[in-house]
Amino acid sequence: MRIEMAKSYGFCFGVKRAIKIAENAGEASTIGELIHNAEEINRLRQNFGVKTLKDASEVSDEKKLIIRTHGIQKEDLTRLREQNKELIDATCPFVTKPQQIVEKMSDEGYDIVIFGDSNHPEVKGVKSYAKGRVFVVLEPSELDEIKLNSKVAVVSQTTKKIENFVKIVDYLMQKSREVRIFNTICNATLENQEAAAKLAKKADIMIIVGGKNSSNTKQLFLISQSFCKDSYLIENEDEIEQIWFKNKNLCGISAGASTPDWIIKKVVEKIEKISKF
Ligand code: F3S
């Protein structure tokens, strides 16, 4: 069996940057998980003394706090600044961007539509920058009952699929006279998705490595599965089962944007071993 890695996979720019920041921060605590990957979070704790707090409400006497890649809500940021905490900002610039857009556009009187999961920390953070009306939706139909302002600005959660964002945009164009569209989907996700799709089209089996609570990893898995029915989402090499690879010629591998290289390497090594039997 041959093994082929997707052309683009794994850590994105924002995650690499956040990890560097955390490694250099010394004894600090992150507000929420720095990235969606339990094993990398453990490594940071063991090797660099970086602790993880559940969310901003858990902050007590910590002096140094790291803001995770997804960002935090504006009111939390303000409160922590007032408490004179040392804040180290590891928010991904691709997340800071929609925060700024939402703040500016709502200042200018636009209704804000965010295409995303309302419970996702990134979306909660972006939403918190709106000063006026803001709607978080996944489907255009969720806006049916709402009488939107004649001026609407729309942004997307960074990890969403462009095709679905376009559906929201299309719907808004029919509903409002002025629609300002900001494509805030980040390239890292798109590149990983395109590369996974390309590989899945020719592979007999696809292994997607990443945290099961990571939105972009799940997205990658769904894309892969749509082209290659034998697709598996795993968090580490222990979940691999030898039987999956029986009679397979090409195994494709990809990994979510918050999956560290050392985990991917272990997965590849295990599959290499299996492929020799
Ligand atoms: Fe940032 Fe995109 Fe990564 S938003 S954290 S570069 S997946």
Side-chain angles (χ1 to χ4, degrees), residues 12-15 69 92 94-95 158-159 186 188-189 257:
C12 55
F13 145 81
V15 167
T69 47
C92 175
F94 285 107
V95 175
T158 52
T159 44
C186 104
T189 310

Side-chain angles (χ1 to χ4, degrees), residues 28 41 52 57-58 71 95 118 127 132 156 173 181 211 219 242 250 265 269 271:
I41 286 172
T52 301
S57 68
E58 262 198 8
V95 175
S118 55
K127 184 182 174 199
S156 172
M173 301 276 268
I181 306 153
Q219 198 77 257
Q242 193 158 341
L250 176 63
K265 195 165 161 255
E269 281 166 6
I271 297 175

Side-chain angles (χ1 to χ4, degrees), residues 42-70:
N42 275 344
R43 188 189 69 93
L44 288 171
R45 192 190 60 238
Q46 280 163 8
N47 299 353
F48 299 92
V50 177
K51 292 199 205 94
T52 301
L53 303 175
K54 209 166 124 258
D55 52 41
S57 68
E58 262 198 8
V59 175
S60 58
D61 51 2
E62 292 81 7
K63 291 202 172 56
K64 219 191 258 183
L65 295 162
I66 303 171
I67 300 172
R68 62 188 166 192
T69 47
H70 292 319

Side-chain angles (χ1 to χ4, degrees), residues 57-264:
S57 68
E58 262 198 8
V59 175
S60 58
D61 51 2
E62 292 81 7
K63 291 202 172 56
K64 219 191 258 183
L65 295 162
I66 303 171
I67 300 172
R68 62 188 166 192
T69 47
H70 292 319
I72 57 171
Q73 293 175 44
K74 195 181 175 192
E75 51 272 29
D76 290 329
L77 191 66
T78 310
R79 183 168 45 83
L80 295 170
R81 279 193 184 133
E82 281 165 6
Q83 291 170 358
N84 287 325
K85 301 283 187 195
E86 184 183 340
L87 297 174
I88 303 166
D89 193 4
T91 309
C92 175
F94 285 107
V95 175
T96 311
K97 193 81 203 164
Q99 290 175 346
Q100 290 166 342
I101 291 169
V102 163
E103 187 162 43
K104 182 168 182 285
M105 298 316 288
S106 65
D107 246 350
E108 292 178 21
Y110 286 75
D111 271 355
I112 306 292
V113 173
I114 302 172
F115 167 50
D117 302 303
S118 55
N119 284 325
H120 194 283
E122 174 195 319
V123 174
K124 283 186 183 169
V126 171
K127 184 182 174 199
S128 71
Y129 281 80
K131 293 176 181 167
R133 300 206 310 165
V134 53
F135 307 96
V136 179
V137 297
L138 283 171
E139 297 286 338
S141 60
E142 291 172 59
L143 293 165
D144 278 348
E145 304 297 313
I146 294 160
K147 177 145 182 24
L148 286 167
N149 192 339
S150 57
K151 289 166 39 172
V152 178
V154 57
V155 297
S156 172
Q157 185 178 343
T158 52
T159 44
K160 287 294 174 203
K161 275 168 89 174
I162 189 88
E163 296 88 325
N164 297 338
F165 182 52
V166 168
K167 281 186 202 156
I168 306 276
V169 169
D170 189 35
Y171 178 90
L172 289 173
M173 301 276 268
Q174 297 172 49
K175 250 196 138 182
S176 280
R177 295 187 68 81
E178 187 187 340
V179 183
R180 299 285 304 272
I181 306 153
F182 298 89
N183 179 0
T184 49
I185 295 175
C186 104
N187 293 340
T189 310
L190 286 182
E191 278 167 20
N192 280 4
Q193 287 177 357
E194 280 169 13
K198 201 169 168 201
L199 184 53
K201 280 179 192 160
K202 58 178 183 176
D204 305 303
I205 173 169
M206 282 291 290
I207 303 292
I208 309 295
V209 195
K212 290 191 176 136
N213 58 349
S214 150
S215 150
N216 83 80
T217 303
K218 263 189 273 173
Q219 198 77 257
L220 213 53
F221 169 69
L222 291 176
I223 289 170
S224 169
Q225 202 182 34
S226 68
F227 295 110
C228 172
K229 68 175 176 28
D230 283 327
S231 293
Y232 297 90
L233 169 55
I234 57 166
E235 293 203 338
N236 57 49
E237 77 281 7
D238 296 335
E239 293 176 32
I240 294 173
E241 292 179 32
Q242 193 158 341
I243 184 126
W244 297 346
F245 303 91
K246 202 167 166 220
N247 300 327
K248 303 285 195 258
N249 294 316
L250 176 63
C251 170
I253 302 178
S254 180
S258 50
T259 312
D261 282 346
W262 59 271
I263 293 183
I264 303 168

